[in-house]
Amino acid sequence: MPLRLRYVAGVSPAKWLRAWGERRADMPLEAVRVEQHAQADGLATGDIDLAFVRLPIDVDGLDADALNIVPLWEETAVAVLPRDHALADHETLSTADLDGEQPAPAQPDPAMTVELVAAGSGYAVLPHGVARLHHRKDVVAIPLTDAPTTRIALVWRVERDDDDIQEFVAVVRGRTARSSRGAPDETPAANPKAARAAKRATAQRATAKQAAAKRASRSRSRRRGR
């Protein structure tokens, strides 16, 4: 019986699937992208073994102690705007920049939300990975410097824990086949695209803060000169 893995939009598990195939050819891994509610249902019923989720996740009938949760990387929030929007040429935005703007009606399917943005129904705030997955030529995704980030985590049921599960966790964490299960945890092997995006967002936030400080300094200088 294969390991059953489910992952949310914005997660790209291909490199871990390749590593698993090279390491455990004897154990097939079935990976399917699903909505988070389907992950929660599958964990509750035991129909899936592992899930890459976007925290928080609420699993009916299970408390937090019933789940093993390994936090992985953080995702930057982005504002998705029509390409011809007045703010579309900004490198970064703050939530205050969106004051007075009309949000697009949120849809269960993020692709539909982005489609409404493209149609001019308003803006949307999405995790960077989701916006990248549903990118269109007629919209832009701009990092928000002060919006909360989201966290991707690997989750499985405590009662389902076994050597196969732990070996997949080791693959995700970047441990070699020789590493001991009891060895101290290494830094989680984050999605490289997400890691680069997070670095860019950090640099952009720093640039935005510096620009804001310069504007404030110029404003104070003008007031003193009056």
Side-chain angles (χ1 to χ4, degrees), residues 11-34:
V11 173
S12 301
K15 69 170 186 175
W16 298 313
L17 302 185
R18 288 194 297 270
W20 179 261
E22 294 169 358
R23 186 160 162 170
R24 289 295 307 273
D26 63 309
M27 172 63 71
L29 197 156
E30 173 193 281
V32 180
R33 191 178 79 202
V34 297

Side-chain angles (χ1 to χ4, degrees), residues 46 131 177 181 207:
R181 173 175 171 174
T207 300

